[in-house]
Amino acid sequence: MRSFLAKLSTIEEDNLTSRELIIVDYIKNNSKQIVEENIKIDELAKRAKTGFSAIYNLLKKINIDGYRDFMICLANDVEHAELNIAKNDENVANGYINLIKQNYTLIKKSNLVKTINLIESSPRIVICYWEAVLRGPAMDLSNFFYNHGLNVTLLDSDWDSINNRIKNTQTNDLYIFFTKYGTSTHLAKVIQAIKKEKGKSIFISGKVPSKDVELNASLIHTLIVDGVEINDKSVLISKSLPFHYFNDLLIYHYLNSEKK
Protein backbone atom coordinates (compact mmCIF):
# COMPACT_ATOMS: atom_id res chain seq x y z
CA MET A 1 0.00 0.00 0.00
CA ARG A 2 1.45 3.35 -1.00
CA SER A 3 1.37 5.67 1.98
CA PHE A 4 3.36 8.83 2.66
CA LEU A 5 2.74 8.59 6.41
CA ALA A 6 3.74 4.92 6.53
CA LYS A 7 7.03 5.58 4.76
CA LEU A 8 7.62 8.63 6.92
CA SER A 9 7.36 6.40 9.99
CA THR A 10 10.47 4.49 8.87
CA ILE A 11 12.80 7.40 9.61
CA GLU A 12 13.64 9.10 12.89
CA GLU A 13 12.88 12.82 13.16
CA ASP A 14 16.51 13.39 14.15
CA ASN A 15 17.49 12.38 10.61
CA LEU A 16 15.41 15.16 9.07
CA THR A 17 16.70 18.69 8.55
CA SER A 18 14.84 21.71 9.91
CA ARG A 19 13.50 22.46 6.42
CA GLU A 20 12.34 18.87 5.98
CA LEU A 21 10.55 18.99 9.33
CA ILE A 22 8.73 22.14 8.20
CA ILE A 23 7.65 20.36 5.00
CA VAL A 24 6.45 17.32 6.94
CA ASP A 25 4.47 19.50 9.32
CA TYR A 26 2.84 21.38 6.45
CA ILE A 27 1.93 18.18 4.60
CA LYS A 28 0.42 16.57 7.69
CA ASN A 29 -1.73 19.64 8.40
CA ASN A 30 -2.79 20.24 4.80
CA SER A 31 -2.79 16.80 3.16
CA LYS A 32 -6.43 16.93 2.05
CA GLN A 33 -6.00 20.36 0.47
CA ILE A 34 -2.80 19.31 -1.30
CA VAL A 35 -4.58 16.31 -2.85
CA GLU A 36 -7.86 18.04 -3.71
CA GLU A 37 -6.10 20.98 -5.38
CA ASN A 38 -3.49 18.69 -6.98
CA ILE A 39 -0.80 21.11 -5.84
CA LYS A 40 2.37 21.08 -7.94
CA ILE A 41 5.81 20.97 -6.38
CA ASP A 42 6.53 24.65 -6.99
CA GLU A 43 3.33 25.62 -5.19
CA LEU A 44 4.03 23.21 -2.31
CA ALA A 45 7.51 24.71 -1.93
CA LYS A 46 6.01 28.20 -1.90
CA ARG A 47 3.34 27.34 0.70
CA ALA A 48 5.77 25.45 2.93
CA LYS A 49 8.23 28.33 2.53
CA THR A 50 11.06 26.11 1.34
CA GLY A 51 12.75 25.05 -1.90
CA PHE A 52 12.39 22.23 -4.42
CA SER A 53 15.59 20.51 -3.28
CA ALA A 54 14.36 20.14 0.32
CA ILE A 55 11.18 18.43 -0.91
CA TYR A 56 13.07 16.06 -3.19
CA ASN A 57 15.60 15.25 -0.44
CA LEU A 58 12.75 14.40 1.95
CA LEU A 59 11.10 12.08 -0.58
CA LYS A 60 14.42 10.39 -1.30
CA LYS A 61 15.07 9.78 2.40
CA ILE A 62 11.77 7.92 2.81
CA ASN A 63 12.12 5.98 -0.48
CA ILE A 64 9.43 7.75 -2.50
CA ASP A 65 10.31 7.88 -6.20
CA GLY A 66 9.59 11.46 -7.19
CA TYR A 67 6.79 13.94 -6.72
CA ARG A 68 4.20 12.03 -8.73
CA ASP A 69 4.63 8.98 -6.51
CA PHE A 70 4.38 11.27 -3.47
CA MET A 71 1.00 12.56 -4.62
CA ILE A 72 -0.27 9.01 -5.10
CA CYS A 73 0.93 8.05 -1.61
CA LEU A 74 -0.65 11.14 -0.05
CA ALA A 75 -3.93 10.54 -1.88
CA ASN A 76 -4.05 7.06 -0.36
CA ASP A 77 -3.53 8.55 3.10
CA VAL A 78 -6.35 11.04 2.60
CA GLU A 79 -8.68 8.34 1.29
CA HIS A 80 -8.08 6.06 4.26
CA ALA A 81 -8.46 8.92 6.72
CA GLU A 82 -11.94 9.58 5.34
CA LEU A 83 -13.11 5.97 5.45
CA ASN A 84 -15.87 5.33 7.94
CA ILE A 85 -14.31 2.27 9.56
CA ALA A 86 -16.45 0.19 11.90
CA LYS A 87 -15.61 0.42 15.59
CA ASN A 88 -14.47 -2.00 18.30
CA ASP A 89 -13.04 -5.39 17.26
CA GLU A 90 -13.01 -4.58 13.54
CA ASN A 91 -10.61 -1.71 14.17
CA VAL A 92 -8.01 -4.13 15.50
CA ALA A 93 -8.47 -6.43 12.51
CA ASN A 94 -8.13 -3.48 10.13
CA GLY A 95 -5.03 -2.35 11.99
CA TYR A 96 -3.42 -5.75 11.41
CA ILE A 97 -4.47 -5.87 7.77
CA ASN A 98 -3.28 -2.36 6.99
CA LEU A 99 0.10 -2.88 8.67
CA ILE A 100 0.68 -6.11 6.76
CA LYS A 101 -0.34 -4.47 3.47
CA GLN A 102 2.10 -1.63 4.07
CA ASN A 103 4.94 -4.06 4.70
CA TYR A 104 3.93 -6.20 1.73
CA THR A 105 4.66 -3.28 -0.59
CA LEU A 106 7.78 -2.18 1.29
CA ILE A 107 9.67 -5.49 1.59
CA LYS A 108 11.76 -6.10 -1.52
CA LYS A 109 11.35 -9.67 -2.72
CA SER A 110 14.76 -9.55 -4.41
CA ASN A 111 16.32 -8.87 -1.00
CA LEU A 112 14.53 -11.92 0.42
CA VAL A 113 16.25 -14.02 -2.26
CA LYS A 114 19.61 -12.46 -1.36
CA THR A 115 18.90 -13.21 2.31
CA ILE A 116 18.28 -16.87 1.49
CA ASN A 117 21.54 -17.01 -0.47
CA LEU A 118 23.42 -15.64 2.54
CA ILE A 119 21.73 -18.16 4.83
CA GLU A 120 22.57 -21.10 2.58
CA SER A 121 26.22 -20.05 2.23
CA SER A 122 26.82 -19.48 5.95
CA PRO A 123 28.54 -22.12 8.12
CA ARG A 124 26.94 -20.67 11.25
CA ILE A 125 24.05 -18.29 11.94
CA VAL A 126 23.56 -16.00 14.93
CA ILE A 127 20.13 -14.40 15.42
CA CYS A 128 20.10 -11.45 17.79
CA TYR A 129 17.10 -9.47 19.08
CA TRP A 130 18.08 -5.96 20.17
CA GLU A 131 14.91 -5.27 22.20
CA ALA A 132 13.03 -7.70 24.43
CA VAL A 133 9.77 -7.19 22.51
CA LEU A 134 11.40 -8.86 19.48
CA ARG A 135 12.45 -12.02 21.32
CA GLY A 136 9.39 -13.83 19.94
CA PRO A 137 10.09 -13.43 16.21
CA ALA A 138 13.83 -13.96 16.74
CA MET A 139 13.19 -17.22 18.61
CA ASP A 140 10.68 -18.40 16.00
CA LEU A 141 13.21 -17.93 13.19
CA SER A 142 15.98 -19.54 15.25
CA ASN A 143 13.79 -22.59 15.96
CA PHE A 144 12.89 -22.90 12.28
CA PHE A 145 16.55 -22.90 11.20
CA TYR A 146 17.47 -25.39 13.95
CA ASN A 147 14.67 -27.75 12.90
CA HIS A 148 16.00 -27.64 9.34
CA GLY A 149 19.51 -28.67 10.34
CA LEU A 150 21.24 -25.28 10.36
CA ASN A 151 23.89 -24.32 12.92
CA VAL A 152 22.08 -21.46 14.67
CA THR A 153 22.47 -19.54 17.95
CA LEU A 154 20.02 -17.10 19.55
CA LEU A 155 21.37 -14.04 21.40
CA ASP A 156 20.00 -10.91 23.03
CA SER A 157 21.83 -7.55 23.05
CA ASP A 158 24.20 -8.46 25.90
CA TRP A 159 27.49 -6.74 25.00
CA ASP A 160 29.83 -9.41 26.39
CA SER A 161 28.01 -12.30 24.70
CA ILE A 162 28.00 -10.56 21.32
CA ASN A 163 31.66 -9.53 21.55
CA ASN A 164 32.74 -13.06 22.51
CA ARG A 165 30.81 -14.43 19.55
CA ILE A 166 32.34 -11.87 17.14
CA LYS A 167 35.89 -12.71 18.33
CA ASN A 168 35.27 -16.31 17.21
CA THR A 169 33.68 -15.39 13.89
CA GLN A 170 34.54 -17.58 10.94
CA THR A 171 34.49 -16.34 7.35
CA ASN A 172 30.89 -15.95 6.11
CA ASP A 173 29.31 -16.52 9.52
CA LEU A 174 25.94 -14.77 9.34
CA TYR A 175 24.46 -12.47 11.99
CA ILE A 176 20.77 -11.53 11.73
CA PHE A 177 19.69 -8.56 13.84
CA PHE A 178 16.11 -7.67 14.77
CA THR A 179 15.60 -4.11 16.06
CA LYS A 180 12.80 -1.55 16.18
CA TYR A 181 15.30 1.23 15.56
CA GLY A 182 17.91 2.00 12.93
CA THR A 183 20.30 4.41 14.61
CA SER A 184 21.88 2.55 17.53
CA THR A 185 25.57 3.47 17.64
CA HIS A 186 26.19 0.37 19.78
CA LEU A 187 24.70 -1.91 17.14
CA ALA A 188 26.48 -0.03 14.35
CA LYS A 189 29.83 -0.81 16.02
CA VAL A 190 28.85 -4.48 16.33
CA ILE A 191 28.04 -4.69 12.62
CA GLN A 192 31.29 -2.95 11.75
CA ALA A 193 33.23 -5.45 13.88
CA ILE A 194 31.50 -8.37 12.14
CA LYS A 195 32.52 -7.06 8.73
CA LYS A 196 36.11 -6.63 9.95
CA GLU A 197 36.14 -10.32 10.94
CA LYS A 198 34.84 -11.22 7.43
CA GLY A 199 31.41 -12.18 8.71
CA LYS A 200 28.08 -11.18 7.14
CA SER A 201 25.17 -9.34 8.73
CA ILE A 202 21.51 -8.77 7.93
CA PHE A 203 19.85 -5.75 9.54
CA ILE A 204 16.06 -5.96 9.98
CA SER A 205 14.63 -2.82 11.55
CA GLY A 206 11.58 -0.61 11.96
CA LYS A 207 13.51 2.49 10.93
CA VAL A 208 15.82 3.49 8.10
CA PRO A 209 19.34 2.54 9.28
CA SER A 210 22.14 4.96 10.09
CA LYS A 211 24.88 5.58 7.53
CA ASP A 212 27.32 3.40 9.50
CA VAL A 213 24.91 0.46 9.45
CA GLU A 214 24.15 1.00 5.77
CA LEU A 215 27.87 1.03 5.00
CA ASN A 216 28.77 -2.17 6.88
CA ALA A 217 25.70 -4.44 6.82
CA SER A 218 25.56 -7.06 4.09
CA LEU A 219 21.81 -6.63 3.62
CA ILE A 220 19.10 -4.35 5.00
CA HIS A 221 15.35 -4.84 5.42
CA THR A 222 13.33 -1.84 6.63
CA LEU A 223 9.86 -2.60 8.01
CA ILE A 224 6.93 -0.41 9.00
CA VAL A 225 6.12 -0.98 12.67
CA ASP A 226 3.64 1.85 13.25
CA GLY A 227 0.19 1.59 11.65
CA VAL A 228 -1.09 4.94 10.39
CA GLU A 229 -4.44 4.11 8.82
CA ILE A 230 -6.68 4.26 11.91
CA ASN A 231 -6.91 7.38 14.02
CA ASP A 232 -7.92 5.54 17.17
CA LYS A 233 -5.42 5.68 20.02
CA SER A 234 -7.13 2.75 21.74
CA VAL A 235 -6.09 0.43 18.89
CA LEU A 236 -2.60 -0.82 19.74
CA ILE A 237 -0.91 -3.19 17.31
CA SER A 238 2.09 -5.19 18.51
CA LYS A 239 5.45 -3.84 17.34
CA SER A 240 6.55 -7.43 16.71
CA LEU A 241 3.82 -8.08 14.12
CA PRO A 242 5.83 -6.86 11.07
CA PHE A 243 8.80 -9.00 12.15
CA HIS A 244 6.62 -12.12 12.37
CA TYR A 245 5.27 -11.28 8.91
CA PHE A 246 8.82 -10.86 7.60
CA ASN A 247 9.77 -14.26 9.07
CA ASP A 248 6.82 -15.94 7.39
CA LEU A 249 7.73 -14.43 4.01
CA LEU A 250 11.37 -15.45 4.44
CA ILE A 251 10.45 -18.98 5.49
CA TYR A 252 8.05 -19.36 2.57
CA HIS A 253 10.72 -18.33 0.06
CA TYR A 254 13.33 -20.48 1.82
CA LEU A 255 11.14 -23.58 1.61
CA ASN A 256 10.24 -22.91 -2.02
CA SER A 257 13.64 -21.88 -3.34
CA GLU A 258 15.68 -24.21 -5.51
CA LYS A 259 18.30 -25.84 -3.32
CA LYS A 260 21.76 -26.30 -4.69
Side-chain angles (χ1 to χ4, degrees), residues 50-152:
T50 186
F52 291 12
S53 60
I55 296 175
Y56 282 124
N57 286 339
L58 171 64
L59 300 184
K60 184 179 180 180
K61 280 184 180 180
I62 60 177
N63 295 317
I64 291 181
D65 298 325
Y67 192 77
R68 181 177 178 276
D69 194 40
F70 158 71
M71 289 297 289
I72 294 173
C73 292
L74 193 62
N76 284 336
D77 287 331
V78 171
E79 179 183 354
H80 284 287
E82 294 178 345
L83 288 176
N84 183 21
I85 301 175
K87 298 296 181 181
N88 303 324
D89 292 358
E90 192 171 341
N91 269 350
V92 176
N94 282 322
Y96 271 73
I97 292 168
N98 287 328
L99 193 55
I100 290 173
K101 282 183 177 180
Q102 290 162 12
N103 280 286
Y104 172 78
T105 60
L106 190 65
I107 295 172
K108 295 180 179 179
K109 305 308 180 291
S110 59
N111 280 352
L112 286 175
V113 175
K114 293 177 182 177
T115 297
I116 292 169
N117 291 337
L118 285 176
I119 291 168
E120 293 179 340
S121 62
S122 301
R124 300 184 298 183
I125 299 173
V126 176
I127 298 178
C128 178
Y129 56 95
W130 209 247
E131 299 88 30
V133 70
L134 299 182
R135 183 174 185 271
M139 180 177 289
D140 285 349
L141 189 61
S142 176
N143 288 338
F144 170 79
F145 286 153
Y146 178 81
N147 290 333
H148 282 77
L150 278 66
N151 186 341
V152 60

